Amino acid sequence: MAFHVRRATPHDSALVDDVLRAAVDPDAPRSREPRPEALRALLEDPRAELHLALSPREPGRDDEGTEEAVGVVVLRHGMSLLPAVAPVLHVEQLWVAPAWRRRGVGHQLLAAAAASATAAGAEEVWAVAAPGERDAQRFLARLGFAHPVVHRVAPLALLRARLAAATASAPALGARRRAALEQLLARRRRQLSGGARIPSQVSPSERPAAGT
């Protein structure tokens, strides 16, 4: 069955909601599901673009004559700082319905991304795929995406907890380091005051001869 790709508009919120819900892992927490207010903000954000792969619904259905979304790509325009300041396009999510995979849908969605990058003057496209998404990783690798950086993700609650723990332990850690440094300096002072020499300062003539 044929499909076509076009940019989503705020009027496509129902289609986008359907396809994003389908893209979420069924075992993922409910908080990962798209929220209406976040979806509206995404569609109205001038830095973001959503492109949908659409196909006519099958004949005989009550909604015959309408279209269903069989794939989506979520793009965000940004700037890279290193090695030089330049516009860059981020592919934040790429998803194709299982029944439509290996039928060119992903290629057409990324073709839309490439066209958007060209219009924005970006010379690089960055894409994100989770480590466990092997098919997506292989698909991106075949199209030339490499691994210049590693993205790490932390839940906000966990990050705040770890930062609080690190802040609380910082004074004690600093005190232990100062105590260790003071102990080291005290040992050096005792060595010098007692006439002991540091081995590296002993001249070759003062070293005992071999066999004595």
Side-chain angles (χ1 to χ4, degrees), residues 184-198 201:
L184 176 61
L185 293 175
R187 286 198 299 271
R188 290 295 182 90
R189 285 194 292 268
R190 287 196 298 271
Q191 290 176 345
L192 293 175
S193 62
R197 290 189 175 185
I198 300 173
Q201 296 178 330

Side-chain angles (χ1 to χ4, degrees), residues 78-89:
M79 299 292 291
S80 64
L81 301 179
L82 296 173
V85 178
V88 64
L89 183 72

